[in-house]
Amino acid sequence: MKAAQAGWLFVTPALLAIAVFFVLPVAAALAMSLTDFDIYALADLRNLRFVGLDNYRRLLSTPLFWQALGNTMFFVLVGVPLSIGVSLAAALLLHSPLARFKGFYRTALFAPVVTTLVAVAVVWRYLLHTRYGLLNHALGSLGIAPVDWLGDPLWAMPAIVLLSVWKNFGYNMIILLAGLQAVPKDLYEAAALEGAGAWQQLRHITLPALAPLLLMVSILTMAGHFQLFAEPYVMTQGGPAQRTVTVLYFMYDEGFKWWSLGSASAVAFVLFVFMFGFTLLQLQVARRQAGPA
């Protein structure tokens, strides 16, 4: 058997799995987005009609979709930098030679990632409670009036961002911590001999060494915030005044509340276009910062 044939033999099972579990569902969803697939079509496929781009036109003329998109952009533009900043700070603290009980803190900070969102929601609803919440109690000790975190349209979105960052930053922290441990110590020793301080070492050694990982975690975190659904669904049900309705939440309502599966598929592809565009933008920025090869 030739080497090329052997190679195809080895990759064929993986390619078949990708075709069955990724390409085929995506193609089916794209085809569905061009139809009026609804609960009547579920009962009888003869009720299915091809509508072309009508689902997309109707979607782009729906005010709630634009509000959901604006809410999602807020979560992305605020939540992603905050999440990466907290992850990097936690990784640097845990990597510091001065840190003690590193194993305990790694486990404690990673625990929210593997904790079910329902349990997390119970705790955070107590923390954010207007009358009995610990957060308002702390603000009261500073003379600040209580905040209706989940009932005030002004504060509901920042409250969801805080929950999302707290829930997920441990995942990025572990990745960045692994990257920090791979940076040669010789570089820091040489920099210290040259008189470089902690900030200069961070700027000229640590951050450049972590650049590929930071790009990866920024793309993953951005994708996660574009697909934010469970947090607003559990905490606020999209309220108050639909200020926490995200694009994925809107898609869920279209598909499983109103059974308009064709329209929900169109929402999914519009969301994909935004995510793809932002990913390309991040890659372009990263290439410019890296400079010519």
Side-chain angles (χ1 to χ4, degrees), residues 4-280:
Q5 292 175 332
W8 279 110
L9 184 62
F10 280 111
V11 300
T12 295
L15 292 178
L16 285 176
I18 293 173
V20 172
F21 295 107
F22 179 74
V23 178
L24 189 60
V26 170
L30 179 60
M32 192 182 296
S33 72
L34 304 176
T35 69
D36 64 346
F37 199 106
D38 56 13
I39 194 169
Y40 299 107
L42 279 175
D44 188 348
L45 284 178
R46 287 177 296 183
N47 295 321
L48 183 66
R49 294 179 304 170
F50 179 78
V51 297
L53 298 177
D54 283 357
N55 284 328
Y56 294 92
R57 295 192 191 97
R58 187 173 61 83
L59 182 65
L60 298 179
S61 62
T62 302
L64 182 57
F65 169 74
W66 289 106
Q67 180 173 349
L69 184 60
N71 295 341
T72 304
M73 293 304 299
F74 176 87
F75 290 133
V76 171
L77 296 178
V78 176
V80 172
L82 185 61
S83 179
I84 294 176
V86 173
S87 303
L88 181 60
L92 289 172
L93 288 174
L94 288 178
H95 185 64
S96 171
L98 300 178
R100 296 290 182 268
F101 309 110
K102 293 183 179 180
F104 169 77
Y105 285 113
R106 286 175 191 167
T107 305
L109 295 177
F110 189 74
V113 178
V114 294
T115 305
T116 62
L117 190 62
V118 175
V120 168
V122 172
V123 175
W124 273 78
R125 278 181 173 275
Y126 173 69
L127 292 173
L128 299 174
H129 195 279
T130 307
R131 295 182 59 186
Y132 310 111
L134 291 180
L135 192 54
N136 275 344
H137 181 73
L139 293 177
S141 64
L142 300 174
I144 301 175
V147 176
D148 187 3
W149 293 99
L150 299 178
D152 188 334
L154 180 65
W155 291 104
M157 294 173 71
I160 295 296
V161 169
L162 285 178
L163 169 60
S164 175
V165 170
W166 177 84
K167 178 77 172 63
N168 299 301
F169 86 92
Y171 183 78
N172 291 340
M173 178 197 71
I174 292 297
I175 295 175
L176 295 175
L177 188 59
L180 286 172
Q181 293 173 345
V183 180
K185 294 182 180 179
D186 298 348
L187 295 177
Y188 294 105
E189 293 173 356
L193 290 175
E194 294 292 335
W199 168 248
Q200 291 172 313
Q201 291 181 23
L202 174 67
R203 181 181 175 186
H204 297 291
I205 298 176
T206 304
L207 292 181
L210 291 180
L213 285 179
L214 287 172
L215 175 62
M216 185 191 72
V217 298
S218 66
I219 292 175
L220 293 176
T221 308
M222 180 209 66
H225 279 76
F226 262 118
Q227 300 176 72
L228 202 64
F229 168 73
E231 287 84 351
Y233 181 80
V234 173
M235 295 292 289
T236 60
Q237 293 285 305
Q242 298 174 329
R243 292 301 298 273
T244 57
V245 173
T246 62
V247 174
L248 209 62
Y249 195 108
F250 180 81
M251 185 186 75
Y252 170 82
D253 277 353
E254 287 288 306
F256 299 104
K257 185 176 180 180
W258 309 116
W259 289 104
S260 181
L261 298 176
S263 177
S265 299
V267 177
F269 276 92
V270 172
L271 180 62
F272 165 76
V273 169
F274 274 92
M275 293 173 61
F276 187 68
F278 270 77
T279 301
L280 290 180

